[in-house]
């Protein structure tokens, strides 16, 4: 079985700064990690391989430094790592990212199962997974909490996904794209053996010219959304901060609430 | 140039796109709550643009719901009432929607940021090659350019970003449940119901085999009083105290992500950008700093009470009433006071 896991390299910290001119993230000088949600996707991919045989590809789009994250994924057990990296990809929104990743998947020869994280911690949209599936014209299931059964010969899969009211058990066909919840598994740790193996294996890097893509649909120019303003919410001192001992403050609060008819 | 591209380049003119659409998500014939909120914000946007508000209603035996959507603000309801819709999933949903968009050309298209909406909207946007902004907390029309300004919290820290989609249509966004205000229902409102039964060929590759309902012990969204807890709690053992306070007030318990990440309480309790949105009568924030990602999930609460030992904590800027102090000291006092009041009455 062929499994492709899409992983994104993200800043390790929440406190990311944005370039006020371009509206894009400033990544320099910030430590990077694999998007935490993608570790669950990778773990699930590795488990599928262990159960059904085959190989696990990890795929990322980003600057060359994302190779470090891909190496880490190989140390966890991925067989092959591919990075789509080109200046022309810079500034991609979720549409351009999905398009480019889909092109990478096509060049890889497709997959039976494509796995994505629920969302990235910097983009925070969860849009890239369904976007890729639409480009590849394959079904997708989001919020997957369990892979129940895979029938590779019949090209069918049964998964469980979480929705507001409960859990749906869904039957669909392969190839499929799944985005996974963090409840799905517990990602494994790196092993020394894995790290050694990853050291010896290179990351394949493809640029725009390696892919069959329409140049007008990638990077900044292929991104219909545009950040026009970045701002902080004005601080709006609107409340009453009590003073006095804790007893007095609690007393004032209780009487305010009673006055306003909120307590009994 | 690919064929598809050629076709687009020839036929796409953004001036051809008019009106505001909302996706009228429904499950087993019941319209989701968020749809009324979308109609609320959609109504305002349509009025500002001086254009019509449309709702897209897809399902089986759902025609009768169309009138309700009109009563809540829609001018036009585009109905696709077909048997297959009772069981199809996002892939086919998306194709039906894409066809409607290509036919009627809305300028703005809003989805609820529900499990279905968050899965469906990006598929539709990707098929239409248009922009989509996730989890908007505010939507405005730029008066000159007439473009939709979509604002959302971003990148950790207390930063908001405004996003536009200038050159593609429709301008798409998902909106979190609980953020926008509904409009009043008006039984006398009139509108058009437009039935569409020419649907594209369906693939029907996915189907739901089984559904198991979640046990919902946490009725956070419905609670009138919410006691929410942050990292200021210190350690999981102290949760006892919060439970006691919630018990005394008949409140549901909410939490920040920091508390959920620490494993002190389950994700179902998380309030904020990546959790639930609540708007209770009383919201008591105990040991919560007031990060923007948390605030977006509770700032519409009627009365916000903050207990925090740091007088500079941002939560105080949003609190109706603030107590500066150690929650381990303040909360027991509060419990005691509430219990005495209860016993007296
Ligand atoms: C993409 C993204 C999405 C996010 N989504 C969410 C979300 O959905 N919900 C959410 O809540 N957060 C979310 N966050 C995290 C958010 O940015 C904050 O980190 C988090 O809300 C902080 O939680 P906190 O207030 O409990 O902790 P802290 O920020 O650590 O604050 C603890 C507070 O407790 C006070 N305190 C400490 N001890 C005491 C004491 N004894 N008595 C009284 N007060 C005390 C401190 O003064 C401090 O103000 C998200 C972050 C990112 C980057
Ligand atoms: N640049 C990227 N490279 C590889 N995978 C990505 C990239 N961006 C997003 N993804 C995948 O899409 C998921 C959702 O990301 P997002 O839509 O940004 O929240 C992530 O968890 C990844 O699996």
């Amino acid at each position: 079985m062929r499994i492709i896991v899409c992983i994104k390299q993200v800043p390790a910290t929440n406190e990311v700064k944005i370039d006020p001119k371009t509206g894009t993230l400033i990544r320099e000088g910030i430590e990077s990690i694999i998007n935490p949600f993608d570790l669950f996707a990778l773990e699930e991919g590795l488990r599928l391989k262990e159960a059904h045989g085959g190989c696990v590809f990890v795929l990322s789009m980003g600057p060359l430094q994302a190779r470090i994250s891909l190496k880490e994924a190989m140390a966890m057990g991925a067989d092959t790592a591919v990075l789509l990296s080109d200046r022309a990809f810079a500034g991609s929104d979720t549409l351009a990212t999905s398009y480019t990743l889909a092109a990478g998947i096509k060049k890889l020869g497709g997959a039976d199962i494509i796995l994505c994280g629920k969302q990235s911690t910097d983009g925070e949209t969860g849009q890239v997974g369904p976007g890729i599936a639409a480009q590849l014209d394959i079904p997708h299931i989001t919020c997957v909490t369990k892979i129940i059964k895979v029938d590779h010969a019949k090209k069918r899969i049964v998964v469980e996904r979480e929705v507001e009211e409960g859990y749906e058990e869904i039957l669909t066909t392969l190839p499929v794209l799944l985005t996974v919840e963090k409840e799905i598994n517990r990602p494994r740790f790196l092993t020394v053996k894995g790290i050694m193996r990853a050291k010896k294996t290179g990351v394949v890097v493809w640029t725009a010219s390696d892919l069959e893509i329409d140049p007008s649909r990638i990077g900044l120019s292929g991104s219909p959304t545009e950040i026009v303003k970045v701002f902080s919410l004005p601080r709006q001192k609107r409340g009453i901060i009590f003073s006095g001992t804790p007893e007095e403050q609690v007393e004032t609060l209780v009487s305010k609430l009673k006055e306003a008819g909120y307590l009994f | 140039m690919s064929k598809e591209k050629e076709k687009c380049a020839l036929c796409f003119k953004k001036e051809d796109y008019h009106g505001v659409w909302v996706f009228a998500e429904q499950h087993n014939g019941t319209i989701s709550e968020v749809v009324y909120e979308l109609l609320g914000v959609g109504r305002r946007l349509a009025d500002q643009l001086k254009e019509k508000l449309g709702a897209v209603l897809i399902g089986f035996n759902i025609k009768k719901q169309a009138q309700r959507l009109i009563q809540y603000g829609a001018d036009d309801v585009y109905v696709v009432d077909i048997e297959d819709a009772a069981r199809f999933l996002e892939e086919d949903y998306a194709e039906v929607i894409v066809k409607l968009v290509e036919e009627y050309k809305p300028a703005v298209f809003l989805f609820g940021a529900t499990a279905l909406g968050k899965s469906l909207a990006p598929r539709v946007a990707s098929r239409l090659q248009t922009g989509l902004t996730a989890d908007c907390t505010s939507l405005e029309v730029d008066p000159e350019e007439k473009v939709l300004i979509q604002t959302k919290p971003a990148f950790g820290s207390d930063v908001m970003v405004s996003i536009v989609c200038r050159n593609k249509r429709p301008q798409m966004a998902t909106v979190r449940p609980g953020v926008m205000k509904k409009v009043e229902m008006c039984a006398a409102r009139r509108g058009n119901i437009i039935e569409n039964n020419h649907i594209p060929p369906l693939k029907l590759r996915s189907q739901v085999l089984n559904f198991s309902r979640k046990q919902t012990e946490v009725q956070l969204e419905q609670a009138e009083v919410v006691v929410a807890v942050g990292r200021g709690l210190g350690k999981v053992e102290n949760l006892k105290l919060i439970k006691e306070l919630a018990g005394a007030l008949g409140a549901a318990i909410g939490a920040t992500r920091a508390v959920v990440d620490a494993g002190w309480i389950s994700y179902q309790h998380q309030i904020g950008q990546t959790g639930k949105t609540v708007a209770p009568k009383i919201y008591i924030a105990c040991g919560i700093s007031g990060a923007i990602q948390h605030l977006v999930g509770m700032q519409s609460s009627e009365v916000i009470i903050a207990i925090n030992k740091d007088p500079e904590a941002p939560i105080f800027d949003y609190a109706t009433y603030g107590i500066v102090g150690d929650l381990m000291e303040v909360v027991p006092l509060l419990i005691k006071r509430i219990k005495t009041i209860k016993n007296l009455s």
Side-chain angles (χ1 to χ4, degrees), chain A residues 13-18 23-25 37 93-95 98-99 118-119 121-143 158 160-176 181-183 214 216-217 221-251 253-260 262-264, chain B residues 1-2 4-5 25 27 89-91 95 113-116 118-120 122-127 129-135 149-152 154-168 174 203 205-216 248-249 257 260-261 267-268 273-274 281-282 292 295 299 301-305 307 311-314 316-325 329-330 333-334 337-338 341-342 345:
Chain A
T13 151
N14 286 344
E15 311 289 301
V16 183
K17 295 277 170 298
I18 314 162
T24 49
L25 298 179
F37 287 105
D93 70 0
T94 57
L95 181 71
S98 314
Y99 175 71
K118 176 195 169 81
Q119 61 194 31
T121 52
D122 57 350
E124 262 264 310
T125 74
Q127 288 172 185
V128 168
I132 294 172
Q135 293 301 325
L136 297 173
D137 197 14
I138 61 173
H140 80 263
I141 313 288
T142 54
C143 308
V158 179
E160 176 192 84
R161 78 143 151 209
E162 187 174 0
V163 293
E164 282 81 7
E165 253 98 72
Y167 296 88
E168 289 177 340
E169 203 176 298
I170 297 175
L171 165 70
T172 187
T173 55
L174 299 180
V176 69
E181 291 283 335
K182 61 180 176 187
E183 287 72 28
D214 173 347
S216 73
R217 291 182 63 186
S221 58
S223 298
T225 58
E226 180 191 336
I227 294 181
V228 285
K229 195 169 145 201
V230 179
F231 60 101
S232 302
L233 280 188
R235 284 203 158 201
Q236 32 169 249
K237 279 274 176 231
R238 72 168 166 101
I240 306 170
I241 313 293
F242 303 135
S243 52
T245 65
E247 284 85 356
E248 287 162 359
Q249 294 194 52
V250 167
E251 207 43 57
L253 174 67
V254 168
S255 58
K256 287 269 183 211
L257 289 179
K258 269 171 130 180
E259 243 169 65
Y262 281 107
L263 275 182
F264 323 110
Chain B
M1 206 193 266
S2 73
E4 194 189 344
K5 172 81 195 301
E25 177 170 347
H27 295 275
L89 294 180
E90 286 92 308
E91 185 181 23
E95 292 312 308
T114 56
L116 177 63
K118 288 203 67 123
S119 177
L120 185 54
R123 187 153 189 132
V124 171
S126 187
R127 281 280 285 100
Q129 292 180 36
T130 190
L132 170 64
T133 306
D135 297 323
I149 303 174
Q150 310 157 19
T151 301
K152 60 176 279 187
F155 313 125
S157 50
D158 292 354
V159 173
M160 304 289 284
V161 295
S162 295
I163 292 169
V164 299
C165 172
R166 272 209 179 89
N167 299 318
K168 289 288 177 71
T174 61
K203 293 214 173 89
R205 290 195 277 204
S206 313
Q207 70 187 92
V208 176
L209 301 177
N210 218 328
F211 178 73
S212 52
R213 197 163 285 279
K214 254 183 238 174
Q215 278 124 325
T216 39
L249 286 164
R257 183 158 103 177
V260 173
D261 284 352
Y267 171 69
Q268 269 101 48
Q273 191 185 346
T274 40
K281 288 215 169 105
I282 305 180
I292 184 72
L295 291 169
Q299 61 193 3
S301 308
E302 246 173 76
V303 175
I304 297 170
I305 298 163
I307 303 169
E312 294 303 314
F316 286 124
D317 297 345
Y318 297 85
T320 328
Y321 305 121
I323 293 182
V324 179
E329 193 178 347
V330 175
L333 289 168
L334 194 54
R337 260 320 259 126
I338 289 163
I341 297 176
K342 271 208 164 164
S345 57

Side-chain angles (χ1 to χ4, degrees), chain B residues 20-214:
Chain B
V20 176
W21 273 16
V22 306
F23 174 61
E25 177 170 347
Q26 57 84 24
H27 295 275
N28 303 317
T30 308
I31 307 274
S32 305
E33 271 302 298
V34 68
V35 174
Y36 303 112
E37 298 162 9
L38 294 178
L39 287 170
V41 60
R43 185 69 263 162
R44 177 172 56 79
L45 296 172
D47 290 344
Q48 282 170 6
L49 288 164
K50 299 192 178 61
E51 290 182 352
K52 295 220 272 181
L53 175 63
V56 175
L57 179 62
I58 301 170
F60 182 45
N61 278 336
I62 34 94
K63 253 177 258 171
K64 53 183 179 301
Q65 296 293 344
Q67 205 57 46
R68 246 178 106 71
L69 297 170
I70 292 171
Q71 291 169 346
Y72 276 93
D75 298 311
D76 297 325
V77 182
Y78 298 86
V79 181
V80 178
D81 197 321
I82 49 167
E83 199 174 342
D84 281 331
R87 56 196 171 97
F88 66 35
L89 294 180
E90 286 92 308
E91 185 181 23
D92 294 306
Y93 246 130
E95 292 312 308
V96 171
I97 292 173
V98 163
K99 178 116 192 290
L100 289 173
V101 169
E102 285 173 347
E103 189 163 340
Y104 297 101
K105 301 188 167 47
V108 172
F109 199 174
L110 309 177
F111 288 70
T114 56
L116 177 63
K118 288 203 67 123
S119 177
L120 185 54
R123 187 153 189 132
V124 171
S126 187
R127 281 280 285 100
L128 294 166
Q129 292 180 36
T130 190
L132 170 64
T133 306
D135 297 323
C136 295
T137 50
S138 138
L139 293 166
E140 297 295 332
V141 172
D142 176 284
E144 274 133 56
E145 252 191 295
K146 303 277 180 217
V147 291
L148 184 68
I149 303 174
Q150 310 157 19
T151 301
K152 60 176 279 187
F155 313 125
S157 50
D158 292 354
V159 173
M160 304 289 284
V161 295
S162 295
I163 292 169
V164 299
C165 172
R166 272 209 179 89
N167 299 318
K168 289 288 177 71
R169 293 292 178 272
Q171 306 162 78
M172 291 179 58
T174 61
V175 178
R176 291 187 66 92
V179 175
M180 302 292 175
K181 287 246 172 319
K182 295 186 207 178
V183 280
E184 292 279 304
M185 196 257 238
C186 168
R189 269 190 61 92
R190 293 278 165 271
N192 310 307
I193 296 173
I194 300 147
E195 289 191 43
N196 284 271
N197 295 321
H198 309 288
I199 49 159
L202 300 177
K203 293 214 173 89
L204 299 172
R205 290 195 277 204
S206 313
Q207 70 187 92
V208 176
L209 301 177
N210 218 328
F211 178 73
S212 52
R213 197 163 285 279
K214 254 183 238 174

Side-chain angles (χ1 to χ4, degrees), chain A residues 14-15 119-122 124, chain B residues 155-157 229-234 255-259 270-276 286-294 307-310 313-315 325-328:
Chain A
N14 286 344
E15 311 289 301
Q119 61 194 31
S120 62
T121 52
D122 57 350
E124 262 264 310
Chain B
F155 313 125
S157 50
V229 57
R231 188 152 38 200
L233 188 67
T256 64
R257 183 158 103 177
V259 169
Q270 185 172 316
I271 290 172
Q273 191 185 346
T274 40
K276 294 188 168 131
C286 307
I288 292 176
S289 61
I292 184 72
Q293 293 84 5
H294 186 74
I307 303 169
N308 194 307
K309 67 177 182 190
D310 173 11
I315 188 79
D326 187 335
L327 74 92
M328 294 308 293

